[in-house]
């Protein structure tokens, strides 16, 4: 029987999770919850989702503008097996009490502290760790990108130390209250929290991260320097390993992808919906191996990279697939991701 899913919070992540759940053969979207009426609330109804009111929201506000709601979040929780919390940073931990009271399992997002859930999750790195757990946190977009790459490299070779500089987008495209609009802002906490967050999934990886924020909405870029004890012999070997792995997309030189603007154009042309690019993006010529050190760039589409991970987290919690590879294959086929090759 399909797992019944609710989505609480219908912003950047919530609306993508809802759309992804609908496409899965073993999940049913029961409803989504929003705090306020908006074009997105109308979108939810037009997509055929049942709309519930959450947080400090008032059903009368929805009715006033002609948007029909099916009740409050508490009622939605009565009808589901799991809720995906997609509320703003740190609001998930407040919502956790609600989920516990309703006796439903919960998937939280990376804006929450790791303590919000029993386990932090990335499908390629620690799928089995989420098995049968009642609360799981899918790590943030940057941590997801790093954990995926680290999962592959640590499985094939012996990593001594990983150093990453994270060039962070300032805001999502629809956000108008964040910046900078002009300037480069170093994160004056060295190391940045991302490395520590990767360790919630891969505790034995020696990783140090630093970050700067730049005025763009088009993806994050990671500059990775990985020192191996035993590693790939050439850039081609490293590229080949990533090309064979789901959730990596490696562009060749001839494709003319100079940077994130062309990656987003590719995503718009590919047409998976919302210009999403759920894979780690690499450039073939942006990978170099020098002796025991590899350097490579990867770009991460912050709005969508965690979406397949949320789906796999649900599948792991309910033991719906025998292993990560099978779950990833089901998820990616349903989402239209082309897979390795
Ligand atoms: P968002 O602001 O786009 O959406 C959050 C939604 O939650 C909004 O619709 C808001 O009205 C609603 N909300 C407010 N209070 C609520 C409450 N009490 N209960 C339920 N919903 C409530 O935020 P987002 O970007 O979708 O982020 C959601 C989570 O996903 C955060 O933890 C964030 O860190 C994480 N995340 C975001 C990104 C990204 O780049 N946007 C990437 C990965 C992870």
């Amino acid at each position: 029987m399909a797992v019944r899913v609710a989505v609480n919070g219908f912003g950047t992540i919530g609306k993508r999770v809802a759309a992804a759940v609908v496409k899965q053969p073993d999940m049913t979207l029961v409803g989504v919850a929003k705090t306020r009426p908006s074009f997105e609330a109308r979108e939810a109804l037009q997509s055929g989702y049942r709309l519930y009111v959450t947080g400090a929201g008032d059903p009368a506000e929805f009715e006033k503008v002609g948007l029909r709601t099916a009740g409050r979040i508490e009622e939605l929780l009565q009808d589901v097996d799991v809720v995906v919390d997609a509320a703003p940073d740190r609001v998930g931990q407040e919502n956790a009490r609600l989920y516990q009271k309703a006796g439903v399992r919960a998937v939280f997002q990376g804006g929450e502290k790791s303590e919000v859930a029993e386990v932090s999750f990335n499908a390629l790195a620690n799928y089995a760790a989420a098995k049968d757990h009642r609360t799981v946190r899918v790590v943030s977009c940057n941590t997801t990108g790093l954990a995926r790459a680290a999962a592959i490299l640590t499985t094939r070779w012996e990593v001594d130390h990983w150093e990453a500089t994270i060039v962070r987008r300032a805001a999502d495209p629809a956000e108008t209250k964040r910046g900078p609009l002009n300037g480069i802002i170093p994160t004056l906490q060295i190391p940045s929290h991302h490395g520590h967050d990767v360790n919630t999934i891969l505790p034995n990886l020696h990783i140090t991260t630093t970050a700067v924020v730049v005025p763009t909405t088009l993806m994050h870029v990671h500059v990775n320097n990985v020192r191996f004890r035993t590693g790939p012999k050439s850039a081609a070997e490293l590229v080949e390993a990533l090309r064979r792995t789901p959730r990596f997309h490696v562009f060749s030189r001839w494709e003319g992808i100079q940077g994130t603007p062309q990656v987003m154009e590719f995503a718009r042309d590919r047409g998976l919906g919302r210009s999403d690019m759920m894979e780690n993006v690499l450039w073939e010529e942006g990978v170099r191996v020098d002796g025991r050190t590899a350097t490579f760039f990867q770009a991460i589409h912050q709005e969508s990279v965690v979406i397949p991970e949320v789906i796999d987290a649900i599948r792991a919690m309910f033991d719906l697939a025998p292993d990560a590879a099978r779950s990833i294959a089901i998820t990616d086929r349903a989402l239209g991701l082309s897979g390795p090759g």
Side-chain angles (χ1 to χ4, degrees):
M1 211 173 66
V3 169
R4 301 167 303 160
V5 184
V7 177
N8 189 22
F10 198 70
T12 305
I13 300 299
K15 62 185 171 185
R16 285 174 167 82
V17 169
V21 167
V22 167
K23 292 178 182 161
Q24 303 306 314
D26 46 4
M27 298 175 199
T28 304
L29 180 73
V30 178
V32 302
K34 250 203 126 312
T35 43
R36 275 182 296 278
S38 66
F39 72 95
E40 284 161 325
R42 184 180 55 208
E43 220 173 88
L45 289 169
Q46 284 170 347
S47 301
Y49 308 159
R50 282 163 71 186
L51 180 64
Y52 292 78
V53 183
T54 191
D58 179 359
E61 294 291 317
F62 287 80
E63 270 145 42
K64 220 189 290 173
V65 295
L67 299 180
R68 204 155 51 97
T69 59
R72 281 203 51 91
I73 179 71
E74 288 82 356
E75 293 162 75
L76 173 58
L77 295 176
Q78 294 305 310
D79 291 337
V80 300
D81 304 303
V82 61
V83 56
V84 177
D85 186 280
D89 293 0
R90 304 290 192 265
V91 176
Q93 71 194 25
E94 293 164 25
N95 290 340
R97 283 189 284 272
L98 205 62
Y99 308 149
Q100 210 173 8
K101 198 167 156 205
V104 296
R105 301 191 195 200
V107 178
F108 296 94
Q109 307 306 314
E112 305 303 322
K113 290 189 171 157
S114 60
E115 295 78 37
V116 78
E118 294 160 322
V119 58
S120 290
F121 179 85
N122 174 262
L124 283 168
N126 71 341
Y127 180 87
K131 223 170 143 176
D132 299 329
H133 277 292
R134 295 197 62 79
T135 54
V136 171
R137 179 183 73 122
V138 170
V139 290
S140 74
C141 44
N142 279 309
T143 307
T144 292
L146 289 167
R148 281 181 183 169
I152 303 313
L153 269 56
T154 54
T155 303
R156 291 186 165 246
W157 299 289
E158 223 183 311
V159 172
D160 184 20
H161 187 76
W162 193 299
E163 204 174 295
T165 303
I166 298 164
V167 183
R168 300 176 65 185
R169 62 89 177 98
D172 288 342
E175 285 179 315
T176 46
K177 289 185 180 155
R178 288 177 65 172
L181 195 58
N182 183 21
I184 300 172
I185 313 295
T187 301
L188 295 175
Q189 177 197 326
I190 303 173
S192 70
H193 72 276
H194 305 92
H196 175 69
D197 206 22
V198 172
N199 286 143
T200 64
I201 296 173
L202 296 166
N204 298 324
L205 181 70
H206 288 188
I207 179 165
T208 317
T209 53
T210 46
V212 293
V213 185
V214 297
T216 181
T217 65
L218 305 181
M219 314 181 78
H220 306 290
V221 169
H222 301 168
V223 188
N224 297 284
N225 279 294
V226 185
R227 200 172 62 228
F228 292 94
R229 278 190 280 273
T230 50
K233 298 204 170 26
S234 64
E237 192 183 338
L238 178 48
V239 167
E240 188 54 24
L242 297 176
R243 276 213 166 112
R244 280 168 191 253
T245 309
R247 307 211 173 143
F248 285 84
H249 190 104
V250 186
F251 285 109
S252 300
R253 183 189 294 270
W254 61 265
E255 291 179 271
I257 304 284
Q258 294 160 8
T260 59
Q262 291 83 18
V263 177
M264 286 288 89
E265 187 68 4
F266 168 89
R268 279 192 286 273
D269 291 349
R270 181 167 69 163
L272 289 188
R274 297 192 165 95
S275 313
D276 284 347
M277 192 76 209
M278 301 183 193
E279 305 96 328
N280 285 25
V281 172
L282 280 88
W283 290 260
E284 191 172 14
E285 69 272 34
V287 179
R288 187 181 163 90
V289 171
D290 258 331
R292 282 200 261 162
T293 303
T295 304
F296 65 95
F297 297 107
Q298 65 176 4
I300 302 296
H301 186 225
Q302 74 279 359
E303 298 171 274
S304 68
V305 75
V306 298
I307 305 306
E309 309 297 336
V310 170
I311 298 298
D312 291 327
I314 296 172
R315 205 168 278 118
M317 290 166 91
F318 289 89
D319 209 2
L320 299 176
D323 54 29
R326 185 76 192 121
S327 178
I328 288 170
I330 298 168
T331 303
D332 290 6
R333 190 174 324 118
L335 295 178
L337 300 175
S338 51

